[in-house]
Amino acid sequence: MNSTLAKTCTYSLMHLTVAIAVAFALTRDWRVALAVGLVEPIVQTFAFAIHERLWSRASAGPHPARAGRAPCGHGLGRPAG
């Protein structure tokens, strides 16, 4: 097993453990903690994929129609006009 795969697997296990532990600490119910602990990493995976796609788009440079504007759409300290 290469180190990247090993690191990914151990991080996934750590994430799962932390999610379940936090959910249990908040609810004191193992069923809820396990449900949250199993669902949250799946949702987080999709959120990460969306984040990566948006980050890649932002780092590709501004669209010509948005040149001189921040990613949120605001001007970059220049007067409007």
Side-chain angles (χ1 to χ4, degrees), residues 46-75:
F46 287 107
F48 179 77
I50 293 167
H51 176 267
E52 282 295 303
R53 188 170 287 186
L54 293 173
W55 192 263
S56 293
R57 189 178 302 165
S59 66
H63 186 278
R66 294 187 299 262
R69 302 193 76 63
C72 62
H74 294 282

Side-chain angles (χ1 to χ4, degrees), residues 27-52:
T27 66
R28 294 291 183 206
D29 183 339
W30 279 110
R31 290 172 295 175
V32 172
L34 288 171
V36 170
L38 294 174
V39 170
E40 188 275 336
I42 294 168
V43 173
Q44 187 69 8
T45 298
F46 287 107
F48 179 77
I50 293 167
H51 176 267
E52 282 295 303

Side-chain angles (χ1 to χ4, degrees), residues 7-26:
K7 185 177 179 182
T8 300
C9 290
T10 57
Y11 181 80
S12 295
L13 288 172
M14 180 192 68
H15 187 142
L16 186 67
T17 302
V18 169
I20 292 170
V22 169
F24 180 75
L26 294 173

